[in-house]
Every structure is written in C-alpha cells, then in structure tokens.
Amino acid sequence: MPKHDHPIRTRYAPSPTGPQHIGGIRSALFAWLFARRHGGQFILRIEDTDQKRSVPGSVEQIMAAFDWLGVDIDEGPRIGGDYGPYVQSQRLEMYQQWANWLVAQGHAYRCFATSEELAEMRKAGRGYDRRYRDFPAEHSDEQAAQGMPHVIRFKMPLAGRTRGCDMIRGEVAFDNAQLQDAVLLKSDGFPTYHLAHIVDDHTMRISHITRAVEWLPSFPLHLQLWHAFGWEMPQYAHLPVLLNPNGKGKLSKRKQQFADSRGKTVPVLMQEFQAAGYLPEAVVNFLTNIGWNFGDDQEVFAVKAAIPRFDLQAVNPANSAYPIAKLDWLNSQWVQRLPADDLARRLKPVLEAAGYAVDEALLREVAPSLKVRLKSLNDVVGMAGFFFENWSEFTPPAAEILIQRKMDAASTLAILRGALPVLESLEDFSAEAQYSAFSAYAASSGQKNGAVFGSLRAAASGQKVSPPTFDTMQILGKAESLRRVKLAVAALENAAP
Ligand code: GLU
C-alpha cells in the first residue's frame, strides 16, 4: 500500500439540485473507494452557493442514495464531524474573510463594474477587460466602505504558464493569457465554486480532490489560488465523465429519457435505478467498473472486494460511453447470488407496491425458482404475481396462452387430458418427480417435452412466462395443480368442442 504522510481524506461535494445523477455518484464512489483503501475518511459537503438552484430535500436524497449503495460517510451534514459545518451556505463568513485577505495581499481585487458595463463587454465579444485590476487601493476601500456593490476577482498572472499534476492525467500545463480574472466572491457575499472549494478543501483537510474532468479548464486558476494562499495543495484527480450510450455527448440529466438500442429507457438518476428494480449490489458493481477494472477479467465483484485493489491512478482518463446494457446482465448475476430468503425479502416490497398482499412463507417458497429468470426485481410482478392472487378465484387463461407454438386447440387438449392421470398418480409431487413423470409421458405420447411442459405451465400459472413449470406446480400443490389443469381442459372443450 503506498505510504501517505497525511491521513487520506476525500469528499463528494454535490450541489443540492435534487435527484442525484449517476455520474456524480460514480465520482463519489471512486473518492470513497480511495479513502477506504487507505483507511481514510470520506466526507460529504453540500455546495449550495447557487441558492436559486437548491432544491429542498436534496441532502436526504443524496444520503439515502449512499445508504442504499452501502457507501458510508464519515463526516457531513446530519452526521457532523470536526471540520463542519459541511454546508457552504453556513460558511459564508469564512469565504468572505479569505476573499478579503486575498485583496489585502494583492492577489485579488474588488471590481465595481455594473451589469450594464459587463453586458457591453460581452456584446463586444470580449471577456472581462480587467478594468478594476489596477484601481488604486484607497479608492477601492473607499467605495467598498460606501457600500458600492462589487465582486472580488482573482488577479490571474497575465503571461507565462501554469503547470500542475493530475493523478489520472499526469502533467498538465496551461497558458495564463487564456484565463480571465475569475470572480471569487459575488456581490451578494456568496463565494463562487473556485474560492469555496479551496477554502473548504483546505480547512476540511482534504488530501485528494476527485472531480469531473469538466473542471480541468479551471484547474490553472485553482492552482494559482492555492499558490496565492500559500497552503499545501491536495492532489487532484479529474475523473472521466459518462457519455450517452451511443458514445456521443455527455450523459445529461435532461436526457434521462434516452432510450437504448432496444428502445428501453436508460436510467440516469439514482432513484430510477431503484424504481427499475436493480439491486444496489449490481448498481455499485456496475458503476465501479466504468473506467476502472477489478482485474483478472472479473466483472462481477462486491464493492468491498474492490477496496484493496482500488487506485485513482488506475482510472482510465478516457470518457466512456454509458455501458447500460451490462447492468441487466450484472443484475441477473447478483440476483442469482442472493440467498433465497434475502431475495424474498427484497421482492416483498415490489409485490406489495403492485398491490399484492404477500404471504411471506409462500414468497420464500417461490423465490428460489425465480433466481435464474429475474433480470430486474420488478419482473417478479409479471412472472410470479399470480401466486399471490386468491387461488380460489383462478380462471384459466385464454386459448392463445394455453396453445403453444406449432400446436392447436385439439393437440393441446389431448396433451392436457393425458396429463391428468399422470398428475393424479404422482405421490411424490416434487419438481424432480414431476419432471421424470412428464418426460416419460411426453416420450410415450410422441410429444416434445416443450409442448407438454409449456401447456402445463400455461394451465397451472395462467400465463406464458412463469417460474419453471414443475416448481410452479410443486408450490401450488397437487390438488390445486390438478384443479387448474382440469379448468384448462374444460375451457378448451368449451372453445372447440
Ligand atoms: N459542486 C461541484 C460540482 O458538483 C463540486 C466539484 C468538486 O468536486 O470539486 O461539480
């Protein structure tokens, strides 16, 4: 394990703008993995300096998302910690003090340009022309004392290059002339991200800053700011972003309706993954595997197992297309790995949300038979909801469901009639015993297994897709299975006497 002089402290610093985007959560996961790998701390900080965009309840949503994924937070709002408050709007005084300190040191200056002046500069196609950069200090102080509205801007070097090091991308260098004198403190006393994150990351003793690569163009400004403060700089890792599934354009919140090649809506917001019936184990596995590899060609892994292997330096710098198709596969892998009782526990709320009164003992019986078939937890409703309906009210399905491919009413009727004595004769009603009996029946009656098993499935479950036929009948029991097959026979006789 590499040695670090200081404790490793990473953070996730979202703006509380409502539902969490999967890209942000993925960045957070990398920060968390890194902290856990090195026995450090993972901090949640809320960057709510853009008050207009703040959505109430966001913090709870963010924390619930982490909780669901099994990502634990050491310090943050609602949790507390030694370096709080962890919400930027509660730290305004600190930013103001440090902004004024930069002014006093000559690293920053007050700018009194009016919005009309700024609009004119924009119209002329120029950026801010630094008109207050050399404004005499005594005038600046006087105007500020008179309460003239102003912002505080950073004095970016006008020439030369700013060099820095990124953990994922290596050495980076930027021409200073390309950069503006960025605003650090707005006229309403709120800081911009540039100032706030540096003051916070310094005072919260953050050792590694992981953030989206979109911040890379501002990196030289941040490097200069650290330098101006004279503080020891944390390491930065600019993470690749997720692109739309077709590889074009950044995966955006607004594109949440983006459909994949199969026309399925692609989940982008955290709550959409929950709603779509994915297991948190699968989602966290999926996200960790985008831009980082577990190694040994292993694609299914528990996030805990990834901790000792994780390194920020091993993150692939290239942005990656959102490999959403893999999530269904991963989810089915995780469903298969779950102990049946655990699967039952997770299926219960899904069935209840669909309106079923769930008998838990019955659900525990059904769960093992679902393992290999469920892609999403939500599939349980269509596949096995019928178990939780009132059995006495069961009605046989329509002929088109009973009649299997390449069969007709007459041949289906013949199969089901012939199946009745086989069912009746079975003393051992286990799925295995049924399988042998009905395989023998298929062979002796010159039918394909598929035709016999499929007809029985439809008769017993009332649907085309269900858990395996004989598991289904075993759970229903002999009497109920017989009753249902008889009902199907009667229905077919009525349809085609
Ligand atoms: N609030 C910033 C964002 O959401 C945080 C970036 C960072 O992690 O420093 O992009």
Side-chain angles (χ1 to χ4, degrees):
M1 199 186 278
K3 267 222 163 338
H4 289 277
D5 300 339
H6 300 302
I8 300 300
R9 290 171 59 82
T10 63
R11 84 300 192 276
Y12 177 46
S15 298
T17 50
Q20 285 298 291
H21 187 261
I22 201 70
I25 297 285
R26 196 274 227 117
S27 298
L29 253 178
F30 283 4
W32 175 81
L33 281 164
F34 190 71
R36 292 289 170 262
R37 157 86 198 265
H38 296 287
Q41 286 103 45
F42 175 63
I43 289 113
L44 175 64
R45 177 172 79 224
I46 301 300
E47 303 208 329
D48 61 343
T49 55
D50 189 351
Q51 295 268 292
K52 288 190 298 293
R53 292 179 61 225
S54 289
V55 177
S58 299
V59 178
E60 284 67 26
Q61 267 186 29
I62 293 164
M63 293 182 64
F66 283 136
D67 203 39
W68 188 67
L69 291 172
V71 169
D72 53 335
I73 304 166
D74 298 301
E75 297 166 29
R78 318 278 187 276
I79 301 169
D82 290 343
Y83 305 94
Y86 294 91
V87 176
Q88 288 187 328
S89 59
Q90 295 167 22
R91 301 167 65 84
L92 297 182
E93 229 171 277
M94 205 182 309
Y95 309 125
Q96 290 159 5
Q97 274 167 13
W98 282 114
N100 287 326
W101 184 86
L102 286 173
V103 172
Q105 299 295 312
H107 293 303
Y109 60 94
R110 296 188 195 93
C111 168
F112 299 90
T114 62
S115 40
E116 292 76 30
E117 285 178 90
L118 291 168
E120 257 170 52
M121 287 178 234
R122 258 197 307 276
K123 232 168 63 205
R126 293 175 277 127
Y128 173 65
D129 62 8
R130 302 188 156 106
R131 61 181 60 176
Y132 283 94
R133 184 170 164 124
D134 299 314
F135 197 49
E138 60 276 20
H139 292 169
S140 171
D141 291 347
E142 199 182 302
Q143 295 199 5
Q146 287 166 3
M148 237 169 108
H150 62 271
V151 300
I152 291 180
R153 288 182 182 269
F154 186 62
K155 255 190 208 172
M156 191 68 193
L158 299 175
R161 277 164 88 69
T162 299
R163 290 170 205 283
C165 183
D166 174 85
M167 287 181 80
I168 298 174
R169 290 150 213 280
E171 299 291 325
V172 283
F174 307 82
D175 276 333
N176 293 335
Q178 302 296 320
L179 284 136
Q180 302 240 331
D181 285 355
V183 173
L184 302 178
L185 198 73
K186 297 181 271 187
S187 55
D188 59 4
F190 274 75
T192 57
Y193 165 74
H194 309 302
L195 175 68
H197 93 274
I198 289 179
V199 169
D200 289 345
D201 286 333
H202 172 67
T203 52
M204 294 180 181
R205 317 247 165 121
I206 299 302
S207 64
H208 293 78
I209 296 176
T210 53
R211 61 181 184 186
V213 69
E214 286 125 313
W215 288 112
L216 194 60
S218 310
F219 191 29
L221 164 64
H222 303 152
L223 287 159
Q224 290 291 344
L225 263 165
W226 283 104
H227 186 67
F229 278 123
W231 294 334
E232 188 185 344
M233 197 179 85
Q235 296 201 56
Y236 277 82
H238 289 93
L239 300 171
V241 294
L242 304 180
L243 305 175
N244 282 314
N246 62 6
K248 288 186 201 132
K250 195 190 147 208
L251 183 69
S252 79
K253 268 190 212 186
R254 277 159 224 94
K255 290 233 182 81
Q256 62 186 267
Q257 292 311 320
F258 199 101
D260 68 7
S261 52
R262 293 161 301 169
K264 212 172 120 184
T265 301
V266 169
V268 172
L269 305 177
M270 246 356 257
Q271 67 220 37
E272 294 171 334
F273 288 84
Q274 267 167 292
Y278 291 111
L279 293 173
E281 290 92 333
V283 175
V284 87
N285 182 167
F286 169 68
L287 291 176
T288 309
N289 207 195
I290 307 177
W292 180 79
N293 280 316
F294 186 83
D296 308 334
D297 286 334
Q298 198 174 322
E299 298 201 86
V300 185
F301 55 85
V303 72
K304 286 236 156 74
I307 292 173
R309 293 175 173 236
F310 187 80
D311 201 342
L312 280 171
Q313 258 136 355
V315 171
N316 183 345
N319 296 338
S320 26
Y322 190 42
I324 189 66
K326 213 162 131 190
L327 180 58
D328 281 346
W329 177 78
L330 273 176
N331 203 54
S332 54
Q333 295 295 312
W334 275 100
V335 167
Q336 286 174 44
R337 279 169 166 75
L338 281 187
D341 280 3
D342 192 352
L343 179 59
R345 191 171 52 74
R346 303 194 204 207
L347 292 173
K348 187 171 175 238
V350 180
L351 285 162
E352 283 172 344
Y356 292 104
V358 177
D359 174 331
E360 287 187 31
L362 176 59
L363 179 55
R364 277 198 297 276
E365 270 185 81
V366 173
S369 66
L370 289 170
K371 277 196 174 185
V372 285
R373 304 210 168 173
L374 289 185
K375 283 208 172 61
S376 141
L377 294 183
N378 293 353
D379 295 343
V380 70
V381 176
M383 204 177 282
F386 70 89
F387 281 113
F388 303 92
E389 275 157 20
N390 195 338
W391 291 8
S392 64
E393 284 165 20
F394 177 81
T395 49
E400 64 261 27
I401 291 180
L402 280 171
I403 298 170
Q404 305 299 294
R405 259 177 2 112
K406 296 198 190 145
M407 308 255 312
D408 57 20
S411 54
T412 306
L413 194 50
I415 282 183
L416 291 178
R417 275 185 183 144
L420 285 171
V422 182
L423 272 175
E424 254 163 291
S425 71
L426 277 170
E427 274 174 22
D428 172 359
F429 206 63
S430 67
E432 298 75 32
Q434 291 179 48
Y435 176 82
S436 339
F438 283 105
S439 305
Y441 165 61
S444 66
S445 57
Q447 295 287 354
K448 293 220 161 60
N449 274 357
V452 174
F453 300 179
S455 306
L456 283 169
R457 168 208 305 289
S461 68
Q463 41 195 55
K464 277 204 159 122
V465 183
S466 77
T469 304
F470 304 126
D471 289 341
T472 299
M473 292 208 292
Q474 181 187 322
I475 295 165
L476 290 171
K478 182 168 165 178
E480 180 65 12
S481 302
L482 253 174
R483 192 178 78 85
R484 291 188 179 199
V485 177
K486 282 181 186 161
L487 283 172
V489 167
L492 284 171
E493 282 169 349
N494 287 339

